Amino acid sequence: MGSDNTEVLWRGARVTGRSFRDADLRGSIIEDAVFVDCDFTDADLRGSSHLRSTYRSCTFTRTDLSDSTFRRCSLVGSSFTQCPMHHLVLDDVDFTRASLRSADLRGLDLGTCIFRDADLTRADMRYAVLRSVDLLGARPVGVRLDGADLRGAHIGPALWRSAELDHTRIERSQATDYARAHRLEVDEPDRR
């Protein structure tokens, strides 16, 4: 499909239940498309561009997403397993109820993404930018957030209790939320 270095253009496509297993989709341009229950296992999507597209309940297993760009896309309910994501660009992407178990998202700018109710179990988000991100309801067991920027992120108590947070940047109000999640009593200083 893209093996001869020609671009594959998917504009306005509506695809349900199709298998793209082992497909060579390198350099594809996908705009205003909708994919539902599609299987991208072992597909090569390196260098692909996705704009205003929806991938609902799709399977991405060992799918190479390196050097790809997703802008204003919805990946609601999709699952990502062992997917290379080097130099991935994510701008205004909705990962609500997506499974990103053990995903390697190190150093990525995720500042405009939504991870509401996403499964982030053992995801590696070290040094990622997560400013103002919605992480409410996310399953964060073992998620690594060392060195990440969480300032302004919307975070529930479960993440504060279970994530690895060494040298993570947070705001003062988030420090209070962290303390409460760990059942610490926070006293306000006397202002006499």
Side-chain angles (χ1 to χ4, degrees):
M1 289 181 143
S3 59
D4 59 358
N5 293 325
T6 59
E7 293 176 340
V8 177
L9 178 62
W10 294 73
R11 184 172 286 133
R14 301 289 181 262
V15 182
T16 300
R18 183 167 170 194
S19 175
F20 293 92
R21 283 179 169 260
D22 298 308
D24 185 349
L25 298 170
R26 286 176 290 170
S28 295
I29 299 172
I30 302 170
E31 294 180 3
D32 302 308
V34 177
F35 297 87
V36 179
D37 294 319
C38 292
D39 184 358
F40 292 89
T41 296
D42 293 316
D44 189 347
L45 283 166
R46 286 178 292 169
S48 58
S49 175
H50 309 258
L51 179 62
R52 296 180 308 273
S53 293
T54 298
Y55 298 85
R56 188 165 312 278
S57 301
C58 291
T59 301
F60 297 86
T61 302
R62 295 178 305 277
T63 308
D64 196 341
L65 299 169
S66 300
D67 300 307
S68 295
T69 300
F70 287 80
R71 284 196 165 82
R72 298 195 313 255
C73 290
S74 173
L75 299 165
V76 173
S78 292
S79 64
F80 298 83
T81 306
Q82 298 176 355
C83 295
M85 298 180 178
H86 311 291
H87 309 291
L88 179 64
V89 175
L90 298 167
D91 181 22
D92 197 16
V93 176
D94 187 352
F95 286 101
T96 298
R97 293 186 309 281
S99 175
L100 292 152
R101 286 176 154 254
S102 301
D104 186 351
L105 301 166
R106 281 178 295 174
L108 295 181
D109 185 344
L110 307 169
T112 58
C113 295
I114 298 170
F115 293 95
R116 185 176 284 266
D117 300 318
D119 185 354
L120 300 176
T121 302
R122 292 183 304 284
D124 190 345
M125 301 172 104
R126 289 177 292 169
Y127 304 102
V129 175
L130 293 154
R131 293 188 74 163
S132 303
V133 166
D134 184 347
L135 289 160
L136 292 173
R139 281 171 273 157
V141 177
V143 65
R144 299 183 69 186
L145 290 163
D146 303 318
D149 186 349
L150 291 173
R151 292 174 292 170
H154 306 283
I155 298 170
L159 186 139
W160 290 128
R161 284 192 298 269
S162 64
E164 295 180 31
L165 298 164
D166 192 33
H167 291 93
T168 303
R169 295 189 71 182
I170 62 174
E171 295 174 341
R172 192 175 307 274
S173 63
Q174 291 173 311
T176 302
D177 293 341
Y178 174 87
R180 286 187 182 126
H182 288 275
R183 297 188 177 118
L184 301 173
E185 293 184 27
V186 180
D187 290 333
E188 295 296 325
D190 290 334
R191 305 227 182 237
R192 295 182 191 172

